[in-house]
Amino acid sequence: QVQLQQWGAGLLKPSETLSLTCAVYGGSFSDYYWSWIRQPPGKGLELIGEMNLSGFGNYNPSLTSRVTISIDTSKNQFSLNLSSVTAADTAVYYCAREVSTLTYFDSWGQGTLVTVSS
Amino acid sequence: AIQMTQSPSSLSASVGDRVTITCRTSQDISSALAWYQQKPGKAPKLLIYDASSLESGVPSRFSGSGSGTDFTLTISSLQPEDFATYYCQQFNNFLTFGGGTKVEIK
């Protein structure tokens, strides 16, 4: 049974870079896409981006200029960097396993609340 | 971008009730729809994919139906652990989520 465990800084100042990492335990690491999704407080869900081990993936067009998703196959981990954050980036960030490119998510991390405040 | 409209945005129901949640999309997405359940402070949990396929381990009281632009999630007999927020998500054209339906205790 796959488990996703994520970590990263929870408090940032405007203009800083958000960095989160997600470790995958169990299951295949190579057969899926690995994704980041966020949820502003009290609001709905938004895909940030996805990536597979071959480096193929997609970013949300509204975030693509600020987002990088990378994968470390030696550690079964993947990471999110979101640059130049503002208060609008305050949200709970989730890592998730995606069955295939731009499909649905069958396993999720526990979530990390990231607050952007001066 | 495909717009997703869930209704109602919230509902009150009792244990044992049959509950129906609707998701409407702004264009035809065939059967490219998933449903999730989210409890406070927790990550979403996949319930239904491809509009009507039940995810492994999900109780059979949950069912999904529909195709094209109109979809339904039904809970046949609401249980105490089902009080949560439910989201639909389309994956026909990029990927977007509905606004959610909060199911509360009556």
Side-chain angles (χ1 to χ4, degrees), chain A residues 37 39 43-47 50 58-61 94 98-99 102-106 108-111, chain B residues 34 36 38 41-46 48-50 55 87 89-92 94-99:
Chain A
I37 296 154
Q39 184 173 35
K43 296 188 178 180
L45 299 152
E46 177 184 47
L47 175 70
E50 59 164 27
N58 295 278
Y59 294 145
N60 189 314
Y94 294 101
E98 193 175 4
V99 172
L102 296 179
T103 55
Y104 52 89
F105 309 94
D106 67 350
W108 296 65
Q110 79 274 22
Chain B
Y36 300 86
Q38 186 178 34
K42 299 295 187 182
K45 173 188 174 184
L46 178 66
I48 302 285
Y49 60 93
D50 293 341
E55 172 70 349
Y87 293 94
Q89 176 233 315
Q90 69 81 20
F91 50 96
N92 176 268
F94 197 64
L95 196 158
T96 47
F97 292 87

Side-chain angles (χ1 to χ4, degrees), chain A residues 56-106:
Chain A
F56 295 108
N58 295 278
Y59 294 145
N60 189 314
S62 68
L63 299 170
T64 188
S65 63
R66 298 194 290 132
V67 173
T68 302
I69 294 175
S70 58
I71 295 182
D72 185 340
T73 56
S74 68
K75 297 181 179 179
N76 279 19
Q77 294 176 2
F78 61 106
S79 298
L80 168 69
N81 277 3
L82 179 67
S83 64
S84 304
V85 297
T86 69
D89 295 310
T90 293
V92 177
Y93 287 73
Y94 294 101
C95 60
R97 188 177 79 171
E98 193 175 4
V99 172
S100 184
T101 182
L102 296 179
T103 55
Y104 52 89
F105 309 94
D106 67 350

Side-chain angles (χ1 to χ4, degrees), chain B residues 38-94:
Chain B
Q38 186 178 34
K39 296 182 179 179
K42 299 295 187 182
K45 173 188 174 184
L46 178 66
L47 300 175
I48 302 285
Y49 60 93
D50 293 341
S52 60
S53 296
L54 190 68
E55 172 70 349
S56 176
V58 173
S60 59
R61 63 181 179 274
F62 291 93
S63 64
S65 64
S67 67
T69 61
D70 292 295
F71 301 86
T72 299
L73 174 70
T74 299
I75 309 171
S76 60
S77 177
L78 197 66
Q79 298 301 300
E81 60 268 30
D82 300 337
F83 292 96
T85 299
Y86 294 84
Y87 293 94
C88 59
Q89 176 233 315
Q90 69 81 20
F91 50 96
N92 176 268
N93 184 333
F94 197 64

Side-chain angles (χ1 to χ4, degrees), chain B residues 4-73:
Chain B
M4 313 278 293
T5 304
Q6 275 187 246
S7 59
S9 56
S10 66
L11 66 89
S12 296
S14 300
V15 172
D17 284 353
R18 182 181 182 88
V19 169
T20 299
I21 299 168
T22 297
C23 181
R24 180 163 291 170
T25 59
S26 59
Q27 56 186 265
D28 189 333
I29 63 166
S30 185
S31 297
L33 189 102
W35 289 96
Y36 300 86
Q37 175 193 68
Q38 186 178 34
K39 296 182 179 179
K42 299 295 187 182
K45 173 188 174 184
L46 178 66
L47 300 175
I48 302 285
Y49 60 93
D50 293 341
S52 60
S53 296
L54 190 68
E55 172 70 349
S56 176
V58 173
S60 59
R61 63 181 179 274
F62 291 93
S63 64
S65 64
S67 67
T69 61
D70 292 295
F71 301 86
T72 299
L73 174 70

